[in-house]
Amino acid sequence: MVRRETMERNSKSVGSHIMAITLIVLLVLFSASIIFFGILFGTVGFFHISNSSYDSIWSVCLFILLLSFVSGFLELFEYLLKIIITGISAQHKVTVLLKYGVELLFLYGSLSIVDDWMESISLSSYSKLFFAILLLIIGNIDSLQKKKHKNK
């Protein structure tokens, strides 16, 4: 009798663990898909606003993937250049402006490299610059908010 109750409790416990793990996996997949499709449709929207052209939605997906890899690789050199700028410059405001300038330069370079690699997507120079500025602002929102809260 006691053994039967223990087995029923164990089976309920295993079932609840499986249900919890399944819900967590589904939640993670749902969140990742929302983030991916938000980035995808945001990029497609940017292409429409800037009158840039692309062949298919898959070329936009490849563009986002290649841009992530190229900008991640170039970020190493960007980081080294920012360290050099910090060591050379004595004024804080000049250092901040130079760091943002370097970051903008590397974002623009990443966009240019990926645009040259992909025949199915064409961006104008103004579109690349606007997209680089947009990525710079989005990438630095958290640091700007921290500075804002620090000043209060």
Side-chain angles (χ1 to χ4, degrees):
M1 186 86 154
V2 174
R3 190 177 252 183
R4 180 184 256 173
E5 290 175 6
T6 306
M7 287 177 58
E8 286 178 10
R9 264 193 259 143
N10 285 342
S11 65
K12 287 180 183 178
S13 175
V14 170
S16 65
H17 281 83
I18 290 173
M19 181 73 88
I21 290 172
T22 304
L23 287 174
I24 289 171
V25 168
L26 288 175
L27 181 66
V28 168
L29 288 174
F30 181 71
S31 300
S33 65
I34 285 178
I35 290 170
F36 174 74
F37 285 114
I39 291 171
L40 178 67
F41 290 127
T43 306
V44 168
F46 172 77
F47 283 157
H48 283 287
I49 290 172
S50 65
N51 288 330
S52 301
S53 63
Y54 60 93
D55 288 346
S56 68
I57 197 76
W58 295 110
S59 62
V60 177
C61 291
L62 184 62
F63 177 80
I64 293 169
L65 187 66
L66 283 175
L67 183 62
S68 299
F69 286 132
V70 169
S71 62
F73 177 73
L74 290 180
E75 201 168 299
L76 299 170
F77 299 107
E78 176 187 337
Y79 181 72
L80 291 173
L81 195 57
K82 284 181 179 180
I83 290 174
I84 293 170
I85 288 171
T86 305
I88 292 174
S89 180
Q91 296 179 349
H92 179 67
K93 290 182 181 180
V94 173
T95 304
V96 171
L97 286 176
L98 283 174
K99 285 182 180 181
Y100 285 137
V102 166
E103 191 171 347
L104 182 65
L105 178 71
F106 277 94
L107 284 171
Y108 186 82
S110 300
L111 285 166
S112 295
I113 289 170
V114 174
D115 184 39
D116 288 342
W117 280 353
M118 294 190 66
E119 304 268 331
S120 59
I121 289 181
S122 66
L123 292 167
S124 67
S125 295
Y126 293 117
S127 298
K128 289 181 213 173
L129 182 62
F130 182 69
F131 198 48
I133 291 170
L134 186 67
L135 289 174
L136 178 72
I137 291 170
I138 290 171
N140 290 309
I141 283 177
D142 60 336
S143 64
L144 295 173
Q145 287 178 347
K146 286 178 186 175
K147 287 180 184 178
K148 189 176 181 180
H149 290 294
K150 198 180 213 183
N151 291 337
K152 286 186 177 182

